Amino acid sequence: MGSLDHNFKKSGFNISSMPNSQQEKIVIGEAGYVLEDVPHLSDYIPNLHTYPNPLQDNPSYSVVKQYFVDVDDTVAQKIVIHKNSPRGIHFRRAGPRQKVYFEPDDVYACIVTCGGLCPGLNTVIREIVCGLYYMYGVSRVMGIDGGYRGFYSKNTIPLTPKVVNGIHKRGGTILGTSRGGHVTKKIVDSIQDRGINQVYIIGGDGTQRGAAVIFEEIRRRGLNVAVAGIPKTIDNDIPVIDKSFGFDSAVEEAQRAISAAHVEATSFENGIGLVKLMGRDSGFIAMYATLASRDVDCCLIPESPFYLEGRGGLFEYIEHRLRDNGHMVIVIAEGAGQELVSESLKSSDPSGNKLLHDVGLWISERIKEHFSKQKKMVINLKYIDPTYMIRAIPSNASDNVYCTLLAESAVHGAMAGYTGFTVGPVNGRHAYIPFNRIIEKQNKVVITDRMWARLLSSTLQPSFLRTRDIIKENKEEEPLTQLADNSTTNDNLMEKQILC
C-alpha cells in the first residue's frame, strides 16, 4: 500500500495531513499534482499482515493481462485542462491489488441500504455478495434489515449467492430501508460485538455522512474494520462522480410518463400534459428526460427560478404555446418553485430533508384557475405524477452493468485494506473518493452551461431569468420607464423563441 507515498517521499515531494475531522490524506507532487487519498487500515493499526490476492488463482480472471491495479495509479478529477495549467486533483484508482489485508475465511461482511428507494439497489447487494464469494472466497455476508437502525433494532438476513441470485430483476431492496436511525455508538457497538470487519453502506449524501461518522468512531476505537460507501441518489446530485446509479433507469422510465402526457395533450383542445418528476434540489432527471423526449415545451427545475404572472411569466408562455400549437407538455421537478407555493411548511423528514409541497398539484390548479377564470379560456390539463413508480422499478441494462462495477470496486477496496471511502466513476475510471468530498456539497444543474442551453433550444421556453431580475429591480425602486423598456425587449426575445 505504501508504494505511492514512498515514491513521493523519495522524490522529495511533500505529504501533508490536513487537520480536520476527516484527517484528509493529501499528497502533493510536481506540476500541481494533488492526490486526495483515502484512509487505509494500516494508517492506525500497526503491523497488519498481508496475503496474496486469491484472484491470482481464480480461473475466471487468469486470462486478464495486468488484472491487478498498480498502487501508484490515480484518476484525474478534471480531464480537460489548459496547456500550462497544473495537473490538478487526483483520486486513488479503484481495482484489485496484488496484496490483500484480509484472509477470506476471517471476513465477516455486512451490507445496509438507507434512505429512499432507487433502481439498482438489489443489483448492488447481489454483486457485493457474489463479488466477495466468487472473487475472494468470502462466505460470511449478512444484510442489515431496515437501514441504520437495523444495526441495533432488527434481525439480520444471511446473504449467499443463492439467496441473492435473481434479486437484480426486482425493484426496491430486499434488505429494507429507512430514513434516520443513525446512533453512532449503537451502530459501532453492534459492528464490534458481532465481529463484523467489512461494512458496505449504500445510500445518498445523508447516508454517506453517517458512514463517515461510523468510520471515524471505528478508527477512534482502533478496530480492524473497513468501511466502504456506495453512493446512491436517483437525483444524480452526488458531486465528483460522473453519475449515480439508478439515474439512467429513472430517465428512461420518465419517458413513459412524458409520452403519456403528450398523447393526452394532443388529443384534446388546448391540452396540457403536466408531469412531475423527482429532483428535490437538482433537476437532472427533468432536464435529461426533457432532452431525450423532445416532446416537452417547458421544463422547470429547482436551479432555474420562474414566476407565473406578468410579462415573460409562465402563464404568458403557456398562452403563446396553446395559441400556436394547440397543446403543451410541461415537466416540473419536485423541488422547483417551492418558494412560490407557501412558506407554511417548515418541517423535515427523519433524514433532515425539508418536506416539500406538491408543486405539481399546486401549479396545475393555478394554471386551471388562471385560464378558466381570468382568461375565460377552455383548457384540458392532465397531471401525471410517476415519482414512486419510477423509484420502484428494477434497474435497466445500463445501470445493471454500472452497479456491478460499483460493487466490485467497493469489494476490491475493502479487501485491499482501504476504508472511509466512497467508490464511483471519475471521468470514466472508477476511483476511491474520501467521504468528505462526496458530502461537501450537492451536484446541481448549471443553468449557464451548454446542457441547459441545449434544453432551452429544444423546448424554446424562455429562461425566465432576465424578466425576473427586472421585476426584482423594479421593486427596489427602479424607474418605471426603464422597466417598461426592458420588459418590451424581453417580450420580443420571448416571441422570437416561440416563433422559431
Side-chain angles (χ1 to χ4, degrees), residues 369-381:
E369 179 184 3
H370 175 81
F371 285 96
S372 63
K373 294 183 179 180
Q374 296 186 33
K375 291 291 183 178
K376 307 300 181 183
M377 181 177 173
V378 176
I379 64 167
N380 288 279
L381 188 147

Side-chain angles (χ1 to χ4, degrees), residues 414-445:
M415 290 298 296
Y418 295 109
T419 181
F421 68 88
T422 292
V423 65
V426 179
N427 293 317
R429 294 285 186 175
H430 283 245
Y432 299 134
I433 306 163
F435 279 134
N436 64 287
R437 289 302 309 277
I438 291 293
I439 63 180
E440 65 185 0
K441 64 179 181 179
Q442 284 184 312
N443 191 27
K444 293 181 180 292
V445 173

